[in-house]
Amino acid sequence: MERITFQTVHPDTAAADAGQQLANCHCIVIQKSGNYYTIEQHEAGLLSGEGTIGEWLERSGWLPSSAVQAEGEGDWDWRRPVLYVRDNGIDQIVTPAMRIRLLTGYFHTLAETINDSVTAVDREGTVLFWNTTAEETFGISREKIIGQKIGDHFQAESLVLNSVLQHGQIVRGEYHRPNETNHVLINASPVVVDGNIAGGISTEHDITNMMKLNEELDSALPMHIQAKDPFSSITGSDPKLAASLEAARKAAHANMPVHLTGEPGSGKEMMAQAIHFSGSKAAEPFVAMNCSVVPESLLEMELFGYGNDSQTGKLNQARGGTLFIGDIDKLPAPLRDRLFASTEHVRLITASSSPIVLDQTMAITIDIPPLRNRKEDILPLVETFLKEFSAKYNKPMDTISPDAALMFTEHDWPGNVRELRNVIERCVLLGDGPVLTKKHLPEDMARPAKTDEAAAIEQALQKTYGNKSAAATLLGISRGTLYNKMKEYGL
């Protein structure tokens, strides 16, 4: 910020002499009766009459200047220049015009730094500021909109800023559709000066691409089961899985609310589809929403509708059918309560990978065991997926070699059925020949699986931050034994 040159003048100085001193500086400062008075160069013509400058100040009723020691300190009166006063006297003078330029610069820099559209309007709705992001989002240049009424470029009745100007309301994170093309989340506030609304400012976060992606994902919802015999698509002979399937069959015919638990990739959505298509609502919509992939700020709108349009909400889209909510533990408790209270016309199936305490309206909980605990189901699943992807890609890979089969059964499958399915699809897509062999498998599967002892050694090394002596003590073995075992396991 530019610095103003100034001279201090004693209050007993003749007013005419004080005026002459203004020819050599921007401002003179008079300290009188504990107050500071400033007179700027462009005000020199006001210094008329006889007597001292102190007497002139009294006759004219000249306003004193605020004197502060630090930015933001005290009650500033910007009707006159403000003085920064240090121990050794006046350090700097800031005029109202300089302050306005500084604040304007800060505002412009801030508005161009954030990634959202920024709009500022006056009391009549005339656009005063329009940042680069706003230009890019709405396709309207500054030259075409600044100085124009905001309602000339958007539907006036749908403008949040108009409502802000009229009612002084503050808007936070509200869904807004200012035109036929854009979807945004808007924050807006009135600019209040001396208790009166002088204008309004809004920031708009563009979610148009996210909305389009959601629509594409909804239209391309994968069908994991055979609609004619839904539960036959869930392959497995494991007793725990069989018990889960039996409970799911009963729940399907009773149209009961269901909560599914299980590790990621264990097949919870597959089970939800089987329940839906085995029940009386099979001909009605099956609508799915995963709370982990929807931004938290959009969860409420995804469920109950954007703006005042409930038709856009998943709850309404599933009306008469089934609404499947994946990772419901990521849904805030108030929204869960509202959801459970709004399921009169929809059958609700929820799922989570983490433990969660749900409302009592959840009549039955079904757990899907992880694939590593049902080794006997792995090869039948491999055969099922080989048939599926051989047909999909028209590549006849329908059998598996013994060494590859062994690797499939020894792998822990942390990603469960989803990981297995993805591996088979990759093998069929990239492989050649009718037999899936060891060479087709991902590299991480080709590496020998670590034993429990190796895993314990790794864990001990992690706990001791690589200190081998401490790790050996933790494991209850000698340091030499630890070195030998690390070499044996390739650690």
Side-chain angles (χ1 to χ4, degrees), residues 3 6 8 31 36 68-69 84-92:
R3 298 184 71 88
F6 63 92
T8 57
Q31 187 174 7
Y36 288 93
V68 298
Q69 291 186 335
Y84 290 110
V85 180
R86 311 297 187 207
D87 293 338
N88 58 348
I90 300 170
D91 180 67
Q92 187 180 3

Side-chain angles (χ1 to χ4, degrees), residues 49-124:
E50 299 179 354
T52 67
I53 188 65
E55 293 170 340
W56 179 87
L57 289 172
E58 290 183 8
R59 289 197 308 270
S60 63
W62 203 253
L63 291 174
S65 288
S66 298
V68 298
Q69 291 186 335
E71 181 80 19
E73 179 191 79
D75 186 15
W76 296 15
D77 185 348
W78 280 106
R79 289 177 295 176
R80 299 300 302 157
V82 171
L83 284 66
Y84 290 110
V85 180
R86 311 297 187 207
D87 293 338
N88 58 348
I90 300 170
D91 180 67
Q92 187 180 3
I93 298 176
V94 181
T95 68
M98 291 167 58
R99 183 67 173 174
I100 291 171
R101 290 199 299 272
L102 179 64
L103 292 178
T104 300
Y106 274 118
F107 173 76
H108 280 236
T109 301
L110 174 63
E112 289 295 346
T113 300
I114 64 176
N115 291 326
D116 294 342
S117 301
V118 178
T119 307
V121 299
D122 65 12
R123 186 67 183 87
E124 285 70 42

Side-chain angles (χ1 to χ4, degrees), residues 176-228:
H176 181 45
R177 193 167 186 182
N179 53 33
E180 293 297 322
T181 303
N182 295 99
H183 302 260
V184 300
L185 293 179
I186 186 170
N187 296 306
S189 299
V191 176
V192 180
V193 179
D194 296 330
N196 298 312
I197 297 175
I201 295 177
S202 69
T203 63
E204 294 169 294
H205 181 67
D206 189 18
I207 58 169
T208 305
N209 291 335
M210 189 180 300
M211 292 289 291
K212 290 180 180 178
L213 178 60
N214 282 346
E215 292 173 0
E216 292 172 4
L217 291 175
D218 289 344
S219 64
L221 185 66
M223 187 69 175
H224 296 305
I225 52 92
Q226 299 291 329
K228 291 184 178 180

Side-chain angles (χ1 to χ4, degrees), residues 27 224 229 239 262 314 353 444:
C27 179
H224 296 305
D229 188 8
K314 293 289 193 295
S353 301
D444 63 327

Side-chain angles (χ1 to χ4, degrees), residues 124-127 148-157 159 162:
E124 285 70 42
T126 301
V127 179
Q148 304 290 318
K149 291 289 179 34
I150 188 73
D152 293 343
H153 296 269
F154 300 94
Q155 297 175 357
E157 65 275 7
L159 284 175
N162 280 351

Side-chain angles (χ1 to χ4, degrees), residues 257 281 299-300 302-305 310 313-323 325 328 331 333-350 359 361-362:
K281 298 180 182 294
L299 284 171
E300 182 175 7
E302 277 288 294
L303 276 173
F304 301 104
S310 63
K314 293 289 193 295
L315 190 62
N316 186 76
Q317 293 170 10
R319 188 179 180 88
T322 298
L323 176 62
I325 305 293
I328 195 171
L331 189 66
L335 285 183
R336 287 204 302 267
D337 294 340
R338 183 180 170 190
L339 172 64
F340 296 152
S342 307
T343 56
E344 181 181 357
H345 302 293
V346 67
R347 195 259 181 80
L348 184 64
I349 301 178
T350 61
D359 187 276
T361 55
M362 293 294 98

